[in-house]
Amino acid sequence: MITGDAAYIKKINRSLIIKEIVKAGMISRADISKVTDLTRATISAQVADLLDEGLIIETQLEHFSVGRKPIMLSLNSKAGYALGIDLDYGQISFTLSDLLGHPATSTIIKINTKDYAEILLILVEQIKKFKAEYTESLYGIVGIVIAIHGLVGKDEVVHFVPRLGWEDIHLKTDLENEIDIDVYLENNANLSSFAERVFFHHETDNLLCATLYSGIGMGMMMKDDFFRGHDGYAGEIGHMIVVPEGRPCNCGNKGCWEKYSSESSVFEYLSEKRQMKNLTYEDIQKWLDEGDQEVHELLEQLLYYLSIGLNNMINIYNPDVLVLDSELLRMYPDALDKIKQNLHSSICHYRELSISSIGKKSCVLGACALAIKHFLSVPMLNLPFEQQDNETVS
């Protein structure tokens, strides 16, 4: 039983009501009462506050055949905007979404530096541009979430980013000193798993998402929250050893999973073997279409080692849903079926294994969704997924 003072109970009730409005898209006061078990008086008082604050709007249904036309409530999606940032090696991706997670605009800035001061300046300048452009909305930018491709502690200090060479960086504090907006930091794989939960797998309590791009990370959603471990570093599954005394890894071990099953391992091998510095997905697709035997064998090897690691993940966590985020898997014919055929252990139990429908944008869209969740103070979001086309690169 939840106990507390009147203000606390009011906050809990508000959260429940907003959650149901967002989940339904459009819902009446009577239906909110049914799904939340709150009294109509409580709902009326809370709804009046939310209307005054401009967070929700009323719509009267015109086409309703029986009785009075019900007044429906929905979230005012244009009341504010969430900014998601994917801070990766070589580029920074920015996506601004409305309060229903619909992308409004996206920008990718290519960077040729690892220097923290230079990257901080780029972040501050771009955030200020977005802030100036969206001042006319009621709440402006309601929050910023930045995806970090490395270790982020529970204290939101960036403890280690391997490809940037950063250690113990106070990015959150440095940004909040420059801009008057709440900033949150989160591991990139966690944000990808959050996006999968929020936009697609609405009824899933236990979800794992493995991202296979520059390495292998694992985001874990357990009971609508991240599983972080003691210090917040859980999910560095790419450094699980699958080949004892195998290929050396920059973590200090040998035979790490990501040296055999990440997309970067494929790109590094083919770039060196074929003397191509700027290898692209289009190059690999072309070779696959041409029936290039070496490329096919390389991807078959990736699937083999990928299955070994997935078998370990499934047996450790017994997930409901396991999502694989990889462009190469989307390209390679029958990749998912081949992986499933390798997961033949009698104790390997999961309900669904799928390749991400969101793709590389899952991280930045998960960041937008997490900013919305913080702003609305709800336990979880169920949002519709919407593709976005208006992306600029500079």
Side-chain angles (χ1 to χ4, degrees):
M1 177 183 292
I2 297 175
T3 60
D5 60 21
Y8 178 72
I9 296 300
K10 184 177 180 180
K11 182 179 178 181
I12 295 296
N13 291 341
R14 174 189 172 98
S15 174
L16 288 172
I17 290 169
I18 294 175
K19 177 188 174 186
E20 293 305 326
I21 291 173
V22 173
K23 181 179 179 180
M26 189 175 285
I27 189 171
S28 68
R29 289 168 174 81
D31 286 336
I32 294 175
S33 179
K34 290 177 184 176
V35 296
T36 62
D37 288 330
L38 296 175
T39 66
R40 296 201 177 194
T42 296
I43 290 167
S44 293
Q46 290 274 4
V47 165
D49 288 344
L50 292 170
L51 287 168
D52 287 343
E53 294 169 25
L55 275 178
I56 63 173
I57 54 177
E58 291 181 316
T59 305
Q60 189 168 49
L61 289 185
E62 295 298 327
H63 305 288
F64 197 73
S65 57
V66 181
R68 292 177 56 189
K69 297 174 182 177
I71 296 176
M72 309 298 284
L73 306 171
S74 56
L75 188 72
N76 182 6
S77 63
K78 306 303 180 187
Y81 292 85
L83 180 57
I85 302 175
D86 183 5
L87 176 54
D88 201 356
Y89 175 80
Q91 69 176 37
I92 309 174
S93 302
F94 301 81
T95 290
L96 200 75
S97 81
D98 66 19
L99 295 183
L100 286 176
H102 301 147
T105 185
S106 284
T107 299
I108 295 177
I109 297 178
K110 301 292 184 180
I111 54 175
N112 296 309
T113 180
K114 299 179 183 178
D115 182 73
Y116 174 68
E118 292 181 43
I119 292 175
L120 177 64
L121 182 60
I122 293 170
L123 288 169
V124 170
E125 288 179 348
Q126 189 61 41
I127 290 169
K128 287 183 176 179
K129 285 181 183 178
F130 281 123
K131 185 178 179 180
E133 289 174 10
Y134 286 84
T135 53
E136 293 183 3
S137 64
L138 184 59
Y139 290 95
I141 297 178
V142 301
I144 300 168
V145 173
I146 303 178
I148 303 297
H149 293 245
L151 300 180
V152 182
K154 291 180 179 178
D155 54 4
E156 292 188 86
V157 172
V158 180
H159 288 282
F160 184 49
V161 181
R163 301 194 75 186
L164 294 176
W166 292 358
E167 291 187 50
D168 297 328
I169 297 293
H170 294 263
L171 176 60
K172 173 184 170 72
T173 301
D174 291 341
L175 279 175
E176 289 183 337
N177 286 339
E178 294 289 336
I179 52 173
D180 186 25
I181 303 174
D182 290 332
V183 176
Y184 306 91
L185 306 186
E186 189 54 76
N187 173 265
N188 66 298
N190 278 350
L191 290 173
S192 290
S193 69
F194 190 68
E196 296 293 339
R197 167 62 182 82
V198 167
F199 291 107
F200 282 98
H201 302 279
H202 293 163
E203 305 304 323
T204 300
D205 283 335
N206 297 288
L207 181 146
L208 303 183
C209 178
T211 59
L212 309 182
Y213 296 110
S214 57
I216 299 181
M218 182 171 68
M220 296 175 279
M221 295 295 302
M222 304 289 181
K223 300 295 183 183
D224 287 343
D225 200 359
F226 296 120
F227 178 81
R228 302 180 187 277
H230 178 67
D231 294 312
Y233 304 156
E236 293 298 319
I237 199 71
H239 299 288
M240 167 178 59
I241 295 173
V242 295
V243 180
E245 294 301 313
R247 299 169 188 168
C249 179
N250 58 11
C251 77
N253 281 328
K254 294 181 180 179
C256 289
W257 192 27
E258 66 180 42
K259 301 304 292 184
Y260 296 84
S261 300
S262 65
E263 292 194 352
S264 59
S265 68
V266 172
F267 275 83
E268 288 169 8
Y269 175 84
L270 289 175
S271 294
E272 182 177 350
K273 186 74 180 292
R274 304 195 176 190
Q275 297 297 299
M276 294 176 64
K277 288 186 177 180
N278 298 311
L279 190 66
T280 65
Y281 288 109
E282 288 74 19
D283 294 323
I284 295 178
Q285 184 66 68
K286 177 175 175 289
W287 292 328
L288 288 173
D289 293 341
E290 293 172 349
D292 189 303
Q293 187 65 27
E294 182 181 39
V295 174
H296 277 274
E297 289 178 358
L298 187 61
L299 291 182
E300 287 291 334
Q301 184 184 69
L302 179 145
L303 295 182
Y304 170 75
Y305 284 110
L306 182 60
S307 300
I308 292 175
L310 293 178
N311 181 79
N312 294 341
M313 288 169 57
I314 291 167
N315 286 333
I316 292 171
Y317 292 103
N318 182 212
D320 183 22
V321 173
L322 177 55
V323 181
L324 307 177
D325 191 358
S326 164
E327 189 63 29
L328 289 182
L329 294 185
R330 279 185 285 274
M331 291 165 49
Y332 194 52
D334 303 319
L336 196 59
D337 289 338
K338 291 177 179 179
I339 293 170
K340 289 178 179 178
Q341 289 169 12
N342 287 330
L343 300 175
H344 44 62
S345 168
S346 60
I347 59 171
C348 190
H349 294 291
Y350 59 92
R351 180 176 64 81
E352 180 183 342
L353 175 65
S354 63
I355 297 174
S356 173
S357 299
I358 308 175
K360 277 196 166 184
K361 292 184 181 294
S362 65
C363 176
V364 73
L365 290 178
C368 289
L370 188 59
I372 296 168
K373 178 179 180 291
H374 285 308
F375 173 66
L376 296 178
S377 297
V378 292
M380 182 47 70
L381 291 168
N382 288 351
L383 298 176
F385 178 67
E386 183 177 287
Q387 292 282 3
Q388 181 209 0
D389 299 319
N390 55 331
E391 181 174 83
T392 60
V393 179
S394 59

